[in-house]
Amino acid sequence: MALLLKNAHVVDPSVELDGIVDVLIENDRIVNVGEGLSAEGAEVVDLTGKYLVPGLVDMHVHLREPGFETKGDIESETAAAAKGGFTGVCSMPNTDPVTDNGVVIEYIKSVAAAKGHCRVYPSGAMTRGLKGEIISEMGDMVAHGCVAFTDDGRGIQGAGMMRRAMDYGKMFDKVFMSHCQDEDLVGDGQINEGAVSTRLGLLGWPAEGEELQIARDIMIAELTGAKLHIQHISTARGLDMVRAAKAKGLPVTCEATPHHLFLTEDAIDGTYDTCLKVNPPLRTAADAEALIEGVLDGSVDAIVTDHAPHADWEKSREFELAPFGMIGLETSLALINTNLVKTGKMGYGRMVELMSSKPREILGLEPVSIAAGSLADITVFDADAAWTVSEDEFASHAKNSGFKGAELLGRATDVFVGGKRTLADGVVC
Ligand code: DOR
Ligand code: ZN
């Protein structure tokens, strides 16, 4: 059946679109884009006053299934993705069993196909069991649809292991996404090492614990020729290293999360809010400012959430015992809109690059644009919708957001995945 999306403000820099046009969809593809379109028998959706962009993709999401369904599962967390305006997410491999072979990739794909509310692009572990000891079954995983390799949640500790994994795995032409954390240096660090950690009596997680591995992995990318993507970058110096790598022409990209852009260690106080315990930790105001600069100047390639659902009882434990991570899928678009677009720092075109086209490019996915022939993966949002982040409204199974109470502007209203509606007027379908 045909679907006609009328009167939305379409923004898509890849086809130089920034204006009000109609979009006609047949089956799973866009078949026409233009002014005043009509189509007999088509279902018409009037989107006057809303923005329409290529479907948003979050390339760093923990869906928790298989194994950690008490935190969240593929159904609940893809519902959160749809509510947040995403048409697809890349799932992280720190599941149980670990996503380190084709069977687990196939399991994730089949559950997503049966119960998912968005596309799921699974990543696979670089090493078996995320142990950093033996290379995972990379070829098997790629044959089953794995889009990238990462030991996220932990990171590979040995430089030699990292080199062997990249040297071997580069034949599959997938990106290696690196969670940079030197375990020996970081130890039991809880929050950024500095005045705040000292004042609160918490063990510090030093910036160098991340930066050392960023430096190492850029060198190994140069040595092996494999594509490297630095995950959830959190420090100014780390970003400078990525900049230098790019200037050298190395195939190095990086991502930043809204929490590392818009929250700092100063938000952590004597209430010891465990929702603010994330890995890598919230850093200094100077780091956050530098990351925002990087988002604006193109040094940061993608905005991701590192959506990390945890059960209430886990986050209710003492700060040192609570797990790292916060959810993010349902606040990401509004945080970027409120803090970067509505403040005039960047336009929706750059937002589309950061949240849609670049993540697809890095993961080697089919590009999506608002043009005839493209897959009809589309996000529609109301840029002026004012709302307050409240845990009662989350579609996610988890409530561990660090932004509860924030007053934000902008909310996804409608999402189409391959021409099928997954969000209608703010309600997950
Ligand atoms: O804060 C985090 N939580 N960072 C990670 O790298 C892993 C994630 C999780 O799995 O909970
Ligand atoms: Zn990580």
Side-chain angles (χ1 to χ4, degrees):
M1 194 178 68
L3 185 64
L4 182 57
L5 310 182
K6 288 205 68 88
N7 305 320
H9 185 141
V10 178
V11 179
D12 181 359
S14 73
V15 288
E16 289 173 20
L17 252 181
D18 188 351
I20 294 174
V21 282
D22 299 338
V23 179
L24 181 63
I25 298 165
E26 269 173 30
N27 303 315
D28 65 342
R29 301 249 158 200
I30 296 172
V31 293
N32 202 357
V33 177
E35 283 173 34
L37 296 186
S38 60
E40 215 170 305
E43 180 192 342
V44 177
V45 184
D46 182 24
L47 299 173
T48 303
K50 291 172 185 153
Y51 280 90
L52 184 155
V53 296
L56 306 183
V57 171
D58 187 338
M59 60 183 289
H60 191 147
V61 169
H62 297 270
L63 295 176
R64 303 302 190 203
E65 189 176 353
F68 297 110
E69 291 84 352
T70 50
K71 299 172 189 277
D73 57 31
I74 290 173
E75 181 169 16
S76 63
E77 303 320 295
T78 57
K83 190 137 183 232
F86 293 92
T87 58
V89 298
C90 177
S91 61
M92 291 299 113
N94 58 344
T95 49
D96 184 15
V98 169
T99 312
D100 61 5
N101 63 75
V103 174
V104 186
I105 295 277
E106 203 58 45
Y107 175 81
I108 292 167
K109 278 171 49 189
S110 65
V111 176
K115 301 186 191 168
H117 299 276
C118 72
R119 296 186 199 272
V120 175
Y121 312 109
S123 72
M126 287 168 74
T127 66
R128 265 197 235 172
L130 298 172
K131 290 200 175 98
E133 292 163 358
I134 301 166
I135 294 176
S136 65
E137 294 188 45
M138 291 183 182
D140 182 34
M141 290 195 285
V142 169
H144 285 274
C146 155
V147 300
F149 302 117
T150 176
D151 269 15
D152 182 58
R154 182 148 186 232
I156 292 185
Q157 295 308 304
M161 188 69 232
M162 189 74 181
R163 189 249 169 109
R164 283 190 292 282
M166 287 172 91
D167 246 343
Y168 170 76
K170 73 181 178 215
M171 73 171 110
F172 304 111
D173 200 28
K174 303 290 174 199
V175 68
F176 291 86
M177 308 196 295
S178 186
H179 169 115
C180 293
Q181 174 176 358
D182 184 311
E183 283 177 5
D184 196 34
L185 186 54
V186 171
D188 291 326
Q190 300 290 310
I191 64 170
N192 186 47
E193 182 168 313
V196 179
S197 65
T198 302
R199 191 182 327 122
L200 295 175
L202 293 169
L203 286 173
W205 194 138
E208 289 77 359
E210 179 177 349
E211 293 159 352
L212 269 175
Q213 288 207 349
I214 295 176
R216 177 199 78 176
D217 290 351
I218 288 171
M219 288 185 201
I220 296 173
E222 187 167 13
L223 178 65
T224 60
K227 287 182 276 190
L228 172 70
H229 177 75
I230 304 295
Q231 295 181 295
H232 40 50
I233 197 161
S234 74
T235 78
R237 183 155 64 168
L239 183 59
D240 279 341
M241 291 190 273
V242 171
R243 271 200 191 99
K246 287 177 183 225
K248 239 177 150 180
L250 299 176
V252 175
T253 53
C254 74
E255 59 182 39
T257 72
H259 53 268
H260 290 113
L261 296 174
F262 309 128
L263 291 172
T264 69
E265 59 177 357
D266 301 317
I268 307 166
D269 59 19
T271 63
Y272 294 88
D273 180 358
T274 57
C275 287
L276 301 175
K277 177 176 174 180
V278 286
N279 185 9
L282 302 179
R283 302 287 188 189
T284 66
D287 287 313
E289 253 170 63
L291 293 182
I292 290 176
E293 202 44 51
V295 167
L296 303 178
D297 73 16
S299 309
V300 172
D301 298 273
I303 301 290
V304 306
T305 63
D306 193 7
H307 180 81
H310 290 293
D312 287 346
W313 68 266
E314 296 173 300
K315 278 294 197 181
S316 302
R317 302 184 75 189
E318 292 88 334
F319 201 92
E320 289 91 337
L321 300 178
F324 290 93
M326 72 167 76
I327 56 171
L329 283 166
E330 295 172 73
T331 48
S332 185
L333 170 62
L335 285 164
I336 296 298
N337 184 53
T338 306
N339 293 295
L340 298 183
V341 182
K342 287 295 185 184
T343 52
K345 292 188 174 136
M346 70 181 203
Y348 287 119
R350 178 77 187 127
M351 188 185 90
V352 167
E353 287 167 4
L354 288 158
M355 299 182 75
S356 177
S357 46
K358 262 292 184 172
R360 277 199 182 78
E361 189 186 312
I362 294 166
L363 296 175
L365 308 175
E366 179 180 340
V368 166
S369 56
I370 307 302
S374 172
L375 262 184
D377 283 14
I378 289 170
T379 300
V380 178
F381 61 96
D382 178 347
D384 297 311
W387 61 291
T388 306
V389 180
S390 150
E391 66 174 52
D392 305 331
E393 283 188 41
F394 288 135
S396 169
H397 184 68
K399 312 289 173 209
N400 55 305
S401 163
F403 290 99
K404 278 181 255 185
E407 292 177 6
L408 302 177
L409 279 181
R411 217 162 185 186
T413 59
D414 300 87
V415 177
F416 302 87
V417 177
K420 287 202 183 71
R421 225 165 171 180
T422 54
L423 186 75
D425 254 329
V427 179
V428 179
C429 316

